[in-house]
Amino acid sequence: MITELRRQFDLAWALTDLHLSALSDEDHLWEPGPLVWTVHEDASGRWWPDFADVEPDPIPVPTIGWLTWHMIFWWSTALDHVDGRPPTPRTEIDWPGPEAAVQRIRVLSARWSGLLDSLTDTDLLVPATFPWGSDSGRSLADMVLWLNVELAKNAAEIGQLRMLRAAR
């Protein structure tokens, strides 16, 4: 199964990298409408995302900046779980800015790729709590599958926003 998971990840990453490579700095904060989730710079120069513990209705459209923050958040958290470390709280994960966000995502991708290279099919049976919680009954295989889908979803959202901005 690890071979199939690796192929799925490689495909999702290729799509992601295609869109990340084409981004301009201005793409990250472009707002496609009046109701958005984005990132905001504080007085110290750090960037923080809009976020709600309960998803609002209607759901705000995320900016590319918010989406790249979200990728950094879930990928960092997933790797912390796999490495047996307590994850950094969401409220402490900032957005490093356009160029640095893409670089951080590439570093996380390389770490995840290395993890996939190190796993065996038996490893995939180990229980995993992220992102479902401690009593989910899910395995590391479930987490890898979820992460691959989340990666492809975020890549598609980034690509769509990038193309909409370019079309204006």
Side-chain angles (χ1 to χ4, degrees):
M1 174 145 181
I2 194 65
T3 301
E4 292 81 5
L5 291 172
R6 164 50 102 181
R7 278 191 212 129
Q8 185 189 48
F9 168 73
D10 289 343
L11 177 62
W13 177 249
L15 175 63
T16 304
D17 198 46
L18 172 80
H19 292 304
L20 292 177
S21 296
L23 291 174
S24 71
D25 286 355
E26 294 77 25
D27 289 334
H28 288 266
L29 298 178
W30 177 69
E31 296 183 2
L35 181 62
V36 297
W37 270 358
T38 191
V39 289
H40 306 276
E41 191 173 20
D42 69 15
S44 71
R46 291 182 75 184
W47 292 82
W48 300 101
D50 294 324
F51 198 85
D53 290 323
V54 176
E55 197 166 87
D57 183 19
I59 299 170
V61 176
T63 62
I64 290 172
W66 191 93
L67 289 165
T68 55
W69 166 81
H70 189 244
M71 292 172 73
I72 292 165
F73 161 66
W74 59 250
W75 224 337
S76 299
T77 303
L79 283 161
D80 284 346
H81 277 277
V82 171
D83 291 341
R85 291 189 309 263
T88 302
R90 175 192 49 77
T91 56
E92 294 177 24
I93 299 176
D94 65 349
W95 182 69
E99 189 175 319
V102 170
Q103 287 305 99
R104 192 178 297 176
I105 291 167
R106 287 191 170 123
V107 167
L108 291 166
S109 172
R111 286 184 57 207
W112 189 257
S113 182
L115 170 72
L116 292 177
D117 287 342
S118 74
L119 293 176
T120 65
D121 286 347
T122 303
D123 294 329
L124 295 173
L125 302 174
V126 171
T129 59
F130 181 75
W132 308 280
S134 59
D135 60 350
S136 70
R138 302 282 184 111
S139 68
L140 184 56
D142 291 309
M143 185 165 127
V144 172
L145 287 163
W146 167 81
L147 191 138
N148 287 348
V149 169
E150 187 72 18
L151 180 62
K153 177 192 78 73
N154 286 153
E157 290 172 325
I158 289 168
Q160 187 67 40
L161 287 167
R162 184 177 65 80
M163 290 183 289
L164 284 170
R165 182 172 182 269
R168 290 192 174 228

